[in-house]
Amino acid sequence: MADRTGEAAEVSREVLLGVEARGRAVQEATDRFAAVTDVLERVLRETKAARSEAAAARAGAEAAQRHAESRLRQADEQGAGLGPVR
């Protein structure tokens, strides 16, 4: 009987060690998942900021182009009334 009790205790210890190891593995996986989630959130924020900056730059470039085209038209109109330039 004592042998069986000793064997059962050993099996219980092994099972407990296995459960503890699995628990640590789950915790490590959870920590890695949380770290990846944090990185993805940061990348998403940075992507949104970059898109906003790109849209603002595009709008500024379009405004500058319209202004330059307007100035060019004005110069053409003014030059058309003067005759040939020497």
Side-chain angles (χ1 to χ4, degrees):
M1 186 69 141
D3 288 339
R4 292 184 68 154
T5 303
E7 289 175 14
E10 181 62 27
V11 169
S12 292
R13 278 191 291 275
E14 289 174 7
V15 169
L16 181 59
L17 290 174
V19 168
E20 290 173 346
R22 283 188 211 100
R24 284 190 302 276
V26 167
Q27 184 60 50
E28 290 173 10
T30 301
D31 292 345
R32 285 192 302 267
F33 179 79
V36 168
T37 301
D38 291 344
V39 169
L40 290 174
E41 288 174 346
R42 183 178 36 126
V43 168
L44 181 59
R45 282 192 308 273
E46 291 173 1
T47 299
K48 287 179 179 180
R51 284 183 180 170
S52 294
E53 290 173 7
R58 185 173 28 258
E62 290 170 353
Q65 181 179 357
R66 285 190 301 273
H67 179 72
E69 289 169 350
S70 173
R71 297 283 307 250
L72 183 60
R73 277 193 304 275
Q74 289 174 355
D76 284 346
E77 291 169 359
Q78 290 173 354
L82 296 176
V85 177
R86 295 182 192 191

